[in-house]
């Protein structure tokens, strides 16, 4: 049987696929959440999970291996100083895929690829502004 032996070429050349994968993994690690198609998310997830596993042990060897793929120094440092230690207790499954629906133009499956411990940013100013507006509308 040939289960899980290959990969999805995504109708791209190898150079384009490699560049896209590098960019998407970097974006995922920088923002901890990206919106993309299901096929791309499934491919990017493989590389991202391997790098997070490497980042759990901060050594020169692991940094150099990951640095071959991730060119951005800030993202590399974030991976080894923030994301890796956060995932220390996890044995795998560092990302999740949430389905959003279908894209308008070509009906492609659109998903959100995010790290499992991702928290939505809470802007206290925005929350308090909404509460103030609601209180004003109630007074009127």
């Amino acid at each position: 049987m040939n289960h899980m032996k290959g990969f999805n070429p995504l109708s791209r050349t190898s150079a384009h696929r490699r560049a896209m994968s590098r960019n998407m993994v970097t974006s995922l690690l920088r923002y901890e959440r990206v919106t993309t198609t299901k096929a791309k998310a499934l491919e990017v997830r493989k590389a991202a999970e391997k790098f997070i596993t490497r980042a759990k042990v901060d050594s020169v060897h692991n940094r150099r291996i990951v640095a071959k793929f991730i060119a951005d120094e800030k993202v590399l440092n974030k991976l080894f100083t923030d994301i890796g230690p956060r995932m220390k207790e996890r044995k795998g499954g560092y990302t999740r895929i949430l389905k959003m629906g279908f894209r308008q133009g070509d009906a492609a499956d659109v998903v959100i690829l995010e790290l499992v411990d991702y928290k939505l940013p809470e802007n206290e100013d925005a929350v308090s502004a909404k509460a103030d507006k609601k209180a004003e509308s109630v007074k009127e």
Side-chain angles (χ1 to χ4, degrees), residues 43-101:
E43 287 302 310
V44 168
R45 173 187 227 176
K46 292 176 188 176
E49 300 240 352
K50 288 177 183 175
F51 294 141
I52 293 171
T53 300
R54 285 266 181 197
K56 288 164 71 172
V57 178
D58 190 0
S59 66
V60 175
H61 179 69
N62 285 342
R63 278 185 181 260
R64 286 180 177 165
I65 288 175
V66 175
K68 286 181 186 177
F69 200 83
I70 298 173
D72 190 347
E73 196 67 33
K74 289 181 181 177
V75 174
L76 190 65
N77 286 334
K78 179 181 178 182
L79 175 63
F80 279 91
T81 59
D82 181 35
I83 296 172
R86 273 187 355 217
M87 303 290 184
K88 199 76 163 177
E89 298 301 317
R90 250 178 202 283
K91 297 200 182 304
Y94 311 113
T95 59
R96 86 168 51 101
I97 294 178
L98 304 170
K99 295 179 183 179
M100 287 182 55

Side-chain angles (χ1 to χ4, degrees), residues 28-48:
L28 175 64
L29 297 175
R30 178 180 290 135
Y31 302 113
E32 300 186 9
R33 185 178 215 201
V34 292
T35 303
T36 184
T37 62
K38 183 178 177 185
K40 287 181 195 173
L42 291 172
E43 287 302 310
V44 168
R45 173 187 227 176
K46 292 176 188 176

